[in-house]
Amino acid sequence: MSEVEIHTWAIWLEILLAGVTCLALLFITAPYGRHRRSGWGPTVPNRVGWIVMEIPAVVAFAWIFAQGEHRAEAVPLAFLGLWQLHYIHRVFIFPFRLRTEGKRMALFIAALAITFNCLNAYVNARWISHFGAYGNDWLLDPRFIAGVSVFGLGFGINLKTDQSLFNLRKPGETGYEVPRGWLYEYVACPNYLGEILDWLGFALATWSLAGLAFALYTAANLGPRAIANHRWYRERFPDYPKHRKALVPFLF
Ligand SMILES: NC(=O)c1ccc[n+]([C@@H]2O[C@H](COP(=O)([O-])OP(=O)(O)OC[C@H]3O[C@@H](n4cnc5c(N)ncnc54)[C@H](OP(=O)(O)O)[C@@H]3O)[C@@H](O)[C@H]2O)c1
């Protein structure tokens, strides 16, 4: 089998995983954060878990990108920049902003995320720097410009709304409150909405099945979790706003 065929199979595997993940998460909520519960085996400190499980998205992606024949071209480098902007923040900044003292994560969750991040790094880095072919004129293509804009919008929403959650806790606190203000007036999880927009923008900018596979996986992973978080707030907080949706303002 040629490497092009292996890469295409890897993309379809990721799309299949998106479907399986979505179905599974509609029945079993991933046991981390507010949904953590016993019975999922050994655990690691939350902060360590986040760093370890997301680091392949920085390191494996950079290494695979560096093997590609288009690695020094402008458009692949622009995509590398977008990707690393998101993931360098996720690995080296986000875990240190968490107010998560004493909380732990199931090793099983971290192991699943590491496996997925390696597959996803191969699918997207190999496409961008090797199998995809983008001339410099792609920088002025409406799909690139719109995709980068949506990516920027999603990244900004994700950063700002994650920060609103961190601000709900004083140093050392680990409890929960109903988040309020800005997009939280409309949905329970605007940080997830931002993340999904981020990768939809990336898929649009790369105009690739590889990018689409990751956007689908992100939505398949975070959609059911947004529903679970929304239900969790409703069950615990009598003052939780009735009109608030789970993920998409006014819709769902
Ligand atoms: N691409 C993907 O597939 C993917 C998958 C998962 C996550 N992510 C991203 O990773 C980030 C974190 O995800 P997450 O699922 O951990 O998000 P989350 O449940 O919204 O929690 C984010 C942080 O805020 C805290 N927090 C949440 N709700 C709170 C409340 N009501 N009051 C006080 N503190 C609260 C959480 O504490 P606790 O940990 O103590 O609950 C955690 O430290 C998000 O930006 C998300 O988009 C991406």
Side-chain angles (χ1 to χ4, degrees):
M1 198 187 278
S2 70
E3 204 209 329
V4 181
E5 287 170 320
I6 293 172
H7 184 260
T8 305
W9 276 107
I11 295 175
W12 285 108
L13 173 64
E14 188 163 326
I15 291 172
L16 177 70
L17 276 179
V20 172
T21 300
C22 185
L23 265 183
L25 292 180
L26 285 172
F27 296 99
I28 308 164
T29 305
Y32 75 91
R34 80 194 74 198
H35 303 289
R36 183 167 130 59
R37 49 207 184 271
S38 56
W40 288 83
T43 59
V44 290
N46 231 1
R47 210 183 307 279
V48 174
W50 272 104
I51 296 169
V52 170
M53 74 183 180
E54 300 288 12
I55 213 162
V58 173
V59 177
F61 190 96
W63 186 78
I64 294 165
F65 182 93
Q67 313 307 311
E69 69 176 75
H70 306 300
R71 62 183 176 269
E73 295 172 14
V75 177
L77 285 170
F79 292 142
L80 175 70
L82 293 179
W83 186 280
Q84 296 292 12
L85 176 69
H86 178 95
Y87 273 112
I88 285 176
H89 168 264
R90 180 66 75 226
V91 175
F92 298 110
I93 300 173
F94 168 85
F96 298 96
R97 291 163 67 213
L98 293 174
R99 300 212 160 136
T100 193
E101 287 64 31
K103 293 208 173 181
R104 301 181 71 84
M105 174 190 297
L107 197 54
F108 170 72
I109 291 291
L112 280 184
I114 290 169
T115 309
F116 173 77
N117 277 326
C118 290
L119 171 70
N120 193 36
Y122 173 69
V123 160
N124 278 285
R126 198 64 176 148
W127 172 261
I128 287 163
S129 81
H130 195 70
F131 293 126
Y134 300 94
N136 286 352
D137 54 348
W138 187 254
L139 293 170
L140 296 176
D141 190 286
R143 288 164 290 187
F144 179 82
I145 295 168
V148 172
S149 307
V150 173
F151 180 95
L153 177 70
F155 187 63
I157 290 174
N158 182 258
L159 284 187
K160 183 170 160 54
T161 53
D162 266 348
Q163 185 60 48
S164 302
L165 294 178
F166 305 150
N167 292 345
L168 292 175
R169 291 178 181 162
K170 296 193 181 68
E173 286 182 356
T174 54
Y176 297 90
E177 284 176 36
V178 176
R180 297 194 187 269
W182 200 45
L183 295 177
Y184 283 104
E185 294 307 318
Y186 302 96
V187 290
C189 303
N191 51 344
Y192 296 170
L193 178 64
E195 180 101 19
I196 293 167
L197 285 174
D198 221 343
W199 298 115
L200 273 177
F202 189 81
L204 180 57
T206 60
W207 200 248
S208 65
L209 194 57
L212 181 64
F214 184 31
L216 286 175
Y217 184 86
T218 304
N221 192 11
L222 295 181
R225 194 166 180 87
I227 295 171
N229 287 356
H230 188 47
R231 194 186 307 129
W232 182 94
Y233 280 122
R234 276 190 166 157
E235 288 168 357
R236 280 164 186 76
F237 296 94
D239 59 336
Y240 187 67
K242 302 251 176 306
H243 65 274
R244 199 176 287 188
K245 302 287 184 193
L247 185 66
V248 183
F250 311 112
L251 292 178
F252 138 79

